[in-house]
Amino acid sequence: QVQLVESGGGSVQPGGSLRLSCAVSGITFSLYHMGWYRQAPGKQRELVARITRLSNRNYADSVKGRFTISRDTAKRTVLLQMNSLKPEDTAVYYCNAESGDYVDRNYWGQGTQVTVSS
């Protein structure tokens, strides 16, 4: 049984901060790349941030310098710290786990809503 459970979403004013958490079970967490994706109304799902099993990181240009992705092997969690939030950050945010093996495996959480407005 593989489970990715997101938490930490909510409503915040522009310029505010939120921290998203993704709790992972059912896989060998240390062997998976982890990522956060988001989908806004009327838009395609896009990569927000990604961290490999060796802790290499990459970010979408739109969030670079504002968001930070991290992982905690002991707690089997991946975090997304979001600062200086903008209305265009409003979306459903999804946690993703990718094996990167020859037999590729991808798992997704159910998503958590982030709303940035005045």
Side-chain angles (χ1 to χ4, degrees):
Q1 182 186 8
V2 178
Q3 286 188 304
L4 280 65
V5 181
E6 301 100 331
S7 62
S11 297
V12 67
Q13 295 182 11
S17 298
L18 286 172
R19 181 191 292 168
L20 305 184
S21 298
C22 176
V24 180
S25 62
I27 60 172
T28 305
F29 178 75
S30 62
L31 298 180
Y32 278 73
H33 312 308
M34 301 298 302
W36 287 96
Y37 293 72
R38 69 186 181 189
Q39 187 166 23
K43 296 183 179 180
Q44 300 289 101
R45 185 174 297 189
E46 64 175 349
L47 175 68
V48 177
R50 186 171 182 265
I51 182 168
T52 71
R53 68 185 189 91
L54 298 179
S55 294
N56 294 312
R57 298 170 173 86
N58 61 83
Y59 300 90
D61 288 341
S62 60
V63 308
K64 197 170 299 180
R66 300 187 297 120
F67 291 9
T68 302
I69 190 170
S70 61
R71 64 192 296 159
D72 188 324
T73 301
K75 296 181 179 179
R76 300 175 61 85
T77 61
V78 58
L79 305 176
L80 184 68
Q81 179 66 47
M82 305 186 295
N83 298 326
S84 302
L85 283 161
K86 305 175 180 179
E88 52 262 44
D89 295 320
T90 296
V92 177
Y93 284 70
Y94 298 91
C95 183
N96 169 260
E98 179 189 6
S99 70
D101 290 342
Y102 180 76
V103 179
D104 187 63
R105 298 178 180 88
N106 270 285
Y107 303 100
W108 294 89
Q110 292 296 309
T112 185
Q113 177 71 48
V114 171
T115 302
V116 185
S117 66
S118 299

